[in-house]
Amino acid sequence: MSWNAPELVIAPSLLAADFARLGEEAGAIESAGADWLHLDVMDGHFVPNISFGPAVIKALRGSTRLPFDVHLMIEPFEPYIDLFVDAGAAGITVHAEATRHLDRALEAIRATGVKAGVALNPATPASAIENVLHRIDLVCVMTVNPGFGGQKFLPNSADKIASVKRLVGDRPIRIEVDGGITAETAPIARVAGADVLVAGSAVFGQEDYRKAIAALR
Ligand code: DX5
Ligand code: ZN
């Protein structure tokens, strides 16, 4: 997978797909022009919702060639990294709030050969990434409080994205936004500096996936 291309990545979140037909949904989103598949793993502890784990992700590997962008909303996450690597993740994003040892965790993720990302909850300042910039390939700015799809894009998100962009500078680090991304909010995120758009409801919640993805571009 080429990390710097395409310039704008659309990563539909499978959380909003039909859970009875996950394989088909993953295939359909690839045919519709998605760039990555975003996979939200929730444990009912770090976030107040439970989704799916590595076995489900591994089973999906046969349904699409899209890179798997795995977003871990679990605490602790350290004991499970190898399982998600084995499940076929191209990148693993962990929350800064879910560990005391972010530096060590990111080093461990990269050592497996997959891309390493850090996600920041809305209340976590952009500066949380300052001392790990040399260890990351992606920053995920949560533009809603994590746990559920279909929430509204938080209004102060643009400033946060811009702060992350200033810190990242011209390093080869992708800036992802996650939560409440629609055809209306995508341009706000883009202008502020985001180059990976995660979208659940705005894609899987629509009848025509191809049209929905095109609307986000
Ligand atoms: C929220 C998840 C998101 C979610 C986004 O905790 O991390 O990826 O699926 O859903 P929408 O796009 O509907 O806000
Ligand atoms: Zn997510």
Side-chain angles (χ1 to χ4, degrees):
M1 139 195 218
S2 161
W3 197 245
N4 296 314
E7 203 183 313
L8 174 64
V9 166
I10 305 293
S13 163
L14 201 67
L15 192 65
D18 178 352
F19 274 27
R21 303 167 38 252
L22 285 178
E24 269 172 68
E25 292 273 71
I29 217 67
E30 178 172 11
S31 311
D35 301 298
W36 299 354
L37 184 64
H38 185 81
L39 296 153
D40 288 303
V41 179
M42 303 180 179
D43 65 354
H45 168 73
F46 181 70
V47 287
N49 195 8
I50 302 177
S51 58
F52 47 77
V56 171
I57 294 176
K58 192 169 188 171
L60 288 168
R61 231 4 329 175
S63 300
T64 172
R65 282 158 306 169
L66 290 179
F68 282 178
D69 173 34
V70 176
H71 178 192
L72 297 184
M73 285 161 276
I74 64 175
E75 182 182 7
F77 59 77
E78 286 90 340
Y80 308 104
I81 295 300
D82 288 344
L83 280 177
F84 289 101
V85 171
D86 181 59
I92 296 179
T93 297
V94 296
H95 271 262
E97 307 84 4
T99 179
R100 290 184 192 177
H101 297 290
L102 187 59
D103 180 84
R104 178 189 289 153
L106 293 168
E107 192 182 17
I109 293 170
R110 268 203 174 157
T112 69
V114 307
K115 301 289 183 183
V118 176
L120 304 177
N121 279 339
T124 304
S127 59
I129 63 167
E130 208 174 328
N131 296 310
V132 290
L133 286 167
H134 59 297
R135 295 222 187 273
I136 58 178
D137 304 291
L138 177 144
V139 182
C140 174
V141 179
M142 291 307 303
T143 43
V144 299
N145 282 293
F148 302 94
Q151 304 181 81
K152 270 205 161 43
F153 184 83
L154 291 168
N156 55 348
S157 295
D159 289 345
K160 174 85 163 280
I161 299 161
S163 304
V164 166
K165 176 70 188 163
R166 267 193 300 278
L167 287 168
V168 162
D170 52 16
R171 292 177 180 83
I173 297 175
R174 302 225 62 149
I175 301 179
E176 176 175 79
V177 284
D178 188 4
I181 300 300
T182 63
E184 287 70 46
T185 57
I188 302 171
R190 284 282 283 150
V191 166
D195 59 13
V196 179
L197 307 179
V198 174
S201 342
V203 176
F204 282 108
Q206 309 302 309
E207 209 132 286
D208 186 333
Y209 295 171
R210 177 167 284 281
K211 252 196 197 157
I213 290 171
L216 292 172
R217 295 193 193 276

